[in-house]
Amino acid sequence: MVGKICGTGSYVPPHVMDNDDLAKIVDTSDEWIRERTGIGKRHIIEEETTSYMAGQAALRAVEQSGIDPSEIELIIAATSSSDVVFPCAACEVQKTIGAVHAAGYDMNAACTGFVLAFNTAQAYISAGIYKTVLVIGADSMSNLVDWNDRGTCILFGDGAGAVLLRAEEGTPVYMAAHSDGGKGQALTLQSRHRKDWDKESGEESYIYMDGQAVFKFAVRKVPEIIEEVLEKAEMSLEQIDYFVLHQANRRIIEAAAKRLKTDITKFPMNLEEYANTSAATVPILLDEMNREGSLKRGQKIMLAGFGAGLTWAASLFEW
């Protein structure tokens, strides 16, 4: 059995901050940001929370699927920015959608989170443990960046996406995942609840990123893991209809396509509108593609995520 996507949903806050707005805060410009990242704007929470966005995306996925929420057996929420430590975001989603019979837990693998959660759900379904699983990626990155740091604040936005999987007979899902903790210092965020937090100065910890190191890591490892999954599936690059990659930077996606010698039109992008929403980028893009009619049954879709850890993962499945 495989987990077939029977519903998708997404939510982004209505409040928009474009590059010109950011230029009023830090030394930057619309041209500078677009040239280096491909980002034009980002949606930023006001009253919303991570679990609220996750719940709204989940509601839309469930509505589209036509499945009664009571049939959902498991909820996995990929997030590194839950508004509370516990209860977990997945349990908040359970309450929101009325999935009274579902177990739920959160998974933190930063920007790789949704792809790893998707693979985990597929493993549960393949093993016959669950038949109906809701997988969510949701992050409020605006709470984690230093808005005075031009190197990071221009990159991130907030949002959530969800897919509902239902067990069916079908083509196997092929997957791979890796980590390299030895290079983890390239992208970090220290806990704000550490005992050594400087209470007197009020200093807080924000996202730190070695941009060049992360860029080099991504453009090398994303093509490698895609080729690894294709080898497992005994398929060629030409057989893949879409490569749905984590939306971190246009240059990374273009470089990956170039290394794979594959037409960039197979690499859909929406980061100009949303920026990097961490674990939410892949499911938001899937939902947009699904609702605009780009995805057809039988198409081969490759997901790939990469992020802090360092972690990277991929999944190949039939729509």
Side-chain angles (χ1 to χ4, degrees):
M1 303 295 281
V2 299
K4 284 284 189 178
I5 295 178
C6 57
T8 64
S10 61
Y11 176 89
V12 292
H15 176 62
V16 174
M17 178 182 289
D18 64 21
N19 292 340
D20 290 330
D21 293 327
L22 267 181
K24 299 173 184 176
I25 303 173
V26 293
D27 181 18
T28 190
S29 68
D30 178 64
E31 180 183 11
W32 193 91
I33 296 171
R34 286 181 183 273
E35 180 184 348
R36 289 160 178 77
T37 68
I39 296 168
K41 61 183 71 170
R42 67 282 301 145
H43 292 246
I44 303 296
I45 58 172
E46 292 183 303
E47 299 300 322
E48 304 95 337
T49 63
T50 300
S51 56
Y52 172 81
M53 294 191 297
Q56 294 304 301
L59 283 170
R60 294 171 186 181
V62 171
E63 179 183 17
Q64 188 185 73
S65 74
I67 291 174
D68 190 300
S70 65
E71 297 179 49
I72 298 171
E73 298 165 287
L74 177 67
I75 301 170
I76 306 175
T79 183
S80 52
S81 59
S82 182
D83 35 290
V84 293
V85 177
F86 45 78
C88 66
C91 287
E92 291 294 287
V93 170
Q94 182 207 34
K95 176 176 65 176
T96 297
I97 67 174
V100 293
H101 298 133
Y105 64 86
D106 291 358
M107 175 183 290
N108 181 356
C111 299
T112 316
F114 177 81
V115 180
L116 282 171
F118 182 87
N119 287 354
T120 301
Q122 293 291 351
Y124 277 125
I125 291 170
S126 176
I129 298 172
Y130 298 113
K131 294 180 179 178
T132 308
V133 182
L134 178 64
V135 185
I136 304 162
D139 272 306
S140 301
M141 301 306 290
S142 63
N143 285 336
L144 306 181
V145 297
D146 180 352
W147 288 97
N148 295 309
D149 177 12
R150 182 180 70 169
T152 58
C153 73
I154 66 170
L155 301 174
F156 296 100
D158 304 330
V163 300
L164 189 57
L165 302 175
R166 195 73 179 261
E168 294 182 15
E169 296 288 347
T171 305
V173 177
Y174 299 94
M175 59 189 79
H178 300 284
S179 299
D180 185 357
K183 294 185 174 63
Q185 291 305 305
L187 185 51
T188 62
L189 173 66
Q190 299 297 324
S191 171
R192 296 180 182 181
H193 301 286
R194 293 186 309 162
K195 291 181 180 179
D196 58 347
W197 180 66
D198 189 343
K199 294 181 180 179
E200 290 187 4
S201 69
E203 181 180 351
E204 291 186 331
S205 175
Y206 298 101
I207 291 174
Y208 162 78
M209 182 173 67
D210 181 338
Q212 283 298 313
V214 173
F215 182 90
K216 291 176 181 177
F217 148 72
V219 299
R220 183 176 71 255
K221 292 302 183 181
V222 169
E224 284 181 7
I225 200 168
I226 286 174
E227 290 175 337
E228 177 185 348
V229 173
L230 287 172
E231 185 176 347
K232 288 183 179 181
E234 299 182 341
M235 294 177 63
S236 67
L237 285 161
E238 292 71 26
Q239 291 175 276
I240 307 304
D241 293 284
Y242 290 109
F243 297 86
V244 182
L245 272 53
H246 167 51
Q247 304 288 292
N249 186 307
R250 176 179 288 275
R251 286 183 172 182
I252 291 175
I253 297 171
E254 290 174 341
K258 186 176 181 180
R259 287 202 176 199
L260 292 167
K261 298 181 173 63
T262 303
D263 192 334
I264 191 64
T265 60
K266 286 191 172 185
F267 292 76
M269 288 183 261
N270 64 1
L271 57 86
E272 181 180 4
E273 173 69 28
Y274 304 116
N276 180 352
T277 55
S278 192
T281 66
V282 169
I284 289 175
L285 183 52
L286 277 176
D287 183 47
E288 288 193 335
M289 295 172 69
N290 183 28
R291 291 176 185 268
E292 70 185 17
S294 298
L295 300 174
K296 310 294 183 184
R297 286 300 177 189
Q299 287 181 329
K300 304 297 189 298
I301 312 297
M302 177 77 76
L303 309 182
F306 52 91
L310 296 171
T311 57
W312 62 105
S315 185
L316 172 59
F317 64 97
E318 185 176 283
W319 186 259

